[in-house]
């Protein structure tokens, strides 16, 4: 269900060879679910990655109604790093160390993960 499915509904059906019957109207209200428990997972685990290696960060949402939009930020900068549920950094360099966050939004709410500290070894 989506929020726009709220409305008044009835069913109608054939009750015998010649007749039709219909139910009374009922009101259906779809309520939104607030986004919650946004967390980050890293591969390799723990946010520690060797210089030159590949780092994958995944943003996980425990509750929310789709469609979901993702944005990635680094160290609070205004630069947009990505818009998918995963952020991949190929050939990690010294300048890639720092705190990464994921922000998730749906039609009704916005939630943000705690920062994940990525350390380049």
């Amino acid at each position: 269900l989506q929020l726009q499915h709220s409305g008044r509904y009835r069913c109608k059906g054939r009750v015998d060879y010649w007749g039709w019957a219909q139910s009374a109207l009922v009101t259906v209200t779809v309520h939104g679910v607030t986004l919650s428990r946004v967390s980050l997972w890293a591969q390799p685990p723990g946010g520690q990655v060797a210089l030159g290696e590949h780092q994958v960060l995944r943003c996980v949402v425990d509750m929310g109604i789709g469609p979901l939009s993702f944005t990635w930020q680094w160290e609070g900068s205004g630069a947009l790093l990505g818009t998918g549920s995963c952020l991949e950094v190929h050939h990690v360099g010294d300048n890639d160390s720092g705190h990464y966050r994921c922000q998730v939004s749906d039609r009704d709410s916005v939630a943000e993960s705690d920062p994940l500290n990525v350390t380049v070894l």
Side-chain angles (χ1 to χ4, degrees):
L1 286 174
Q2 296 184 2
L3 294 175
Q4 70 265 22
H5 293 135
S6 294
R8 294 178 54 83
Y9 291 87
R10 72 168 42 135
C11 65
K12 181 179 179 181
R14 186 180 296 271
V15 292
D16 58 35
Y17 184 73
W18 299 104
W20 290 86
Q22 64 184 11
S23 70
L25 281 170
V26 296
T27 300
V28 174
T29 304
V30 180
H31 299 279
V33 175
T34 302
L35 287 169
S36 64
R37 295 185 295 264
V38 177
S39 57
L40 295 182
W41 295 87
Q43 185 61 41
Q48 294 188 342
V49 60
L51 185 65
E53 294 295 324
H54 183 83
Q55 174 81 57
V56 177
L57 303 178
R58 179 176 304 275
C59 189
V60 178
V61 181
D62 287 348
M63 269 190 194
I65 295 178
L68 301 177
S69 299
F70 299 86
T71 56
W72 289 89
Q73 299 167 344
W74 177 71
E75 297 262 323
S77 74
L80 178 64
L81 299 177
T83 58
S85 61
C86 287
L87 177 67
E88 295 187 48
V89 182
H90 301 278
H91 307 290
V92 171
D94 288 328
N95 294 334
D96 293 317
S97 288
H99 292 89
Y100 289 77
R101 287 183 188 267
C102 174
Q103 187 178 71
V104 183
S105 61
D106 62 12
R107 292 184 186 141
D108 298 320
S109 56
V110 175
E112 189 171 81
S113 70
D114 288 333
L116 174 71
N117 186 37
V118 171
T119 304
V120 178
L121 306 172

